[in-house]
Each structure stands twice: as C-alpha cells, then as structure tokens.
Amino acid sequence: MNAYKTVKKESKTEFIINRSRFIGRCFPIETEDQAAAILADVRKLHYDASHNCFAYAVGRNGAASKFSDDGEPGGTAGLPIMEVLRHKGITNVLCVVTRYFGGVLLGAGGLARAYSRSAADAVEAAGIVQVKPGSEFELLIDYDQYSRLEVFLRERTNIIGCDFSDKIIIRIILPVEKESDFIAEVRERSSGRVKAAKICERYMTDNDKCG
C-alpha cells in the first residue's frame, strides 16, 4: 500500500468564453469501469452538447489512464485535461469537460487554454486529499477506563465508530507507521487492561472520523 493524492468529492464548475459554455466536473473513482459508467451518465445528461471531453487516471501514479478530445481538434481538449491531473499529482480521478459551442471559433490555443482552465477549476472545487495506508483497531473499554483514554484517542487517532453498551467499543484508524506507538501507549494508559485488536489495514484520509 502506497500513499497517493486524489480529489475529495465530486465537483462542478462552469464559465463562458466567446459564447462557448464550458462545464467541468471531477469525480473520485476506483476503477476504469467506474470511470466509463460515470462518463456514460454525463453524456446522457449532456446529450445535446457539442463535446464531452475527458481524462482519467487510476492506480499507482496513474498507471491506467485515458483521455479523449471527443471531436475537438487533436490535442486541444483531452490532453490539456490530463496535464492538469498530472500537474496536480492526483490519481483515481475522472475529469469531464462539456462544451456547448457558441458559434465563435477559439483556435487551437484558445481551446487548449479553455479546457485546461475548466479542468483546473473542477479539481480546485473538488479539493485534493492525501490518501495513506492506515491500520484499523477495535478497543473494548470499561467505563472506569474511558476517561484515561478518551482525549488521547480523539487527539491521536481518527475515531470511526463508537458503541456504548455494557462496555465501550471504539473503532479507530491511524497511519500504519504509528500503530506500534499507539498499542504501547494504550497499554500504558490503561495499565494493561485495554488491548487494541487490529481489524485490518486499509486506505485512510484525515476525513475518516466521526467524533
């Protein structure tokens, strides 16, 4: 598992140049099939558009990638969109720029700048997040131990689940490289009464928390 950057959420931006309307969209994706399905939906939504140009990158360092000019002059649409993704260093992302032609030719340079701007605006609106390898743990805590651990858990981990019943069950995730120190500190703070059971390793972001 290796860290990578991607977009936080879906986004949509829009602007008009010389009466041509450009609509930029970004989507976080996991597979090429997902990219194809989303692209099909965008094409259905904008069935009357002049062009639906796109670029996507999937996998480590964008190992699987594809772009399309969708009828625009070669190199003026899909490649500028892809260059934005590469410049931002993001993967697992699809960017689609829809154009409604306004009757005024923009020229090759003008088209490339417009598609690049639309893609950059969409990426900025979506936001970029660092995704990194994480370790997920479950802790079974007696109520009399909770006060010793609560602040530590909230400050040093991402809490992703809490269940208050006979005992308190807390699920957390933290970066893989911090798990050894975490286990040792839980043991020390609870005088050995609380054990952190590792559930799995998975990717995480700083948004992986619920409280």
Side-chain angles (χ1 to χ4, degrees):
M1 297 175 72
N2 297 282
Y4 64 91
K5 292 191 296 183
T6 189
V7 291
K8 291 181 182 178
K9 60 184 180 180
E10 294 183 14
S11 68
K12 177 185 175 184
T13 61
E14 185 174 334
F15 62 83
I16 294 174
I17 295 180
N18 290 343
R19 300 204 299 267
S20 278
R21 179 184 173 202
F22 290 85
I23 304 168
R25 286 183 168 85
C26 262
F27 304 86
I29 59 172
E30 297 291 338
T31 66
E32 291 187 90
D33 286 344
Q34 187 181 5
I38 293 172
L39 182 59
D41 288 341
V42 173
R43 284 171 169 162
K44 287 180 183 178
L45 179 65
H46 294 290
Y47 66 91
D48 56 343
S50 306
H51 309 277
N52 286 292
C53 306
F54 72 89
Y56 68 73
V58 177
R60 185 178 180 184
N61 298 321
S65 61
K66 185 176 181 180
F67 60 85
S68 170
D69 296 312
D70 193 33
E72 292 281 31
T76 64
L79 182 57
I81 298 170
M82 178 62 77
E83 287 300 325
V84 170
L85 306 186
R86 290 171 177 165
H87 177 71
K88 297 293 185 180
I90 54 178
T91 188
N92 285 13
V93 56
L94 165 68
C95 184
V96 185
V97 178
T98 298
R99 181 191 182 195
Y100 285 87
F101 180 54
V104 178
L105 296 175
L106 301 182
L111 281 174
R113 287 189 293 273
Y115 278 101
S116 180
R117 172 187 165 185
S118 185
D121 287 353
V123 170
E124 182 177 359
I128 295 176
V129 64
Q130 179 85 9
V131 181
K132 51 199 172 187
S135 296
E136 188 172 329
F137 286 87
E138 184 174 275
L139 294 83
L140 187 63
I141 306 172
D142 290 323
Y143 279 86
D144 64 347
Q145 290 286 318
Y146 184 57
S147 60
R148 298 186 183 185
L149 294 170
E150 180 183 13
V151 174
F152 161 70
L153 292 175
R154 293 189 183 280
E155 290 181 350
R156 301 281 291 278
T157 75
N158 290 4
I159 298 176
I160 57 175
C162 307
D163 182 18
F164 293 85
S165 53
D166 293 341
K167 292 190 176 184
I168 303 169
I169 301 173
I170 295 181
R171 293 185 304 281
I172 65 94
I173 189 167
L174 76 166
V176 166
E177 66 271 16
K178 295 183 178 180
E179 68 173 58
S180 295
D181 290 342
F182 167 74
I183 292 170
E185 189 151 0
V186 167
R187 186 184 301 115
E188 180 180 346
R189 286 174 178 267
S190 68
S191 301
R193 291 176 57 190
V194 176
K195 293 183 179 180
K198 187 171 181 177
I199 305 301
C200 65
E201 289 187 3
R202 65 175 177 85
Y203 282 111
M204 64 171 290
T205 73
D206 289 337
N207 296 325
D208 282 329
K209 60 174 66 180
C210 68

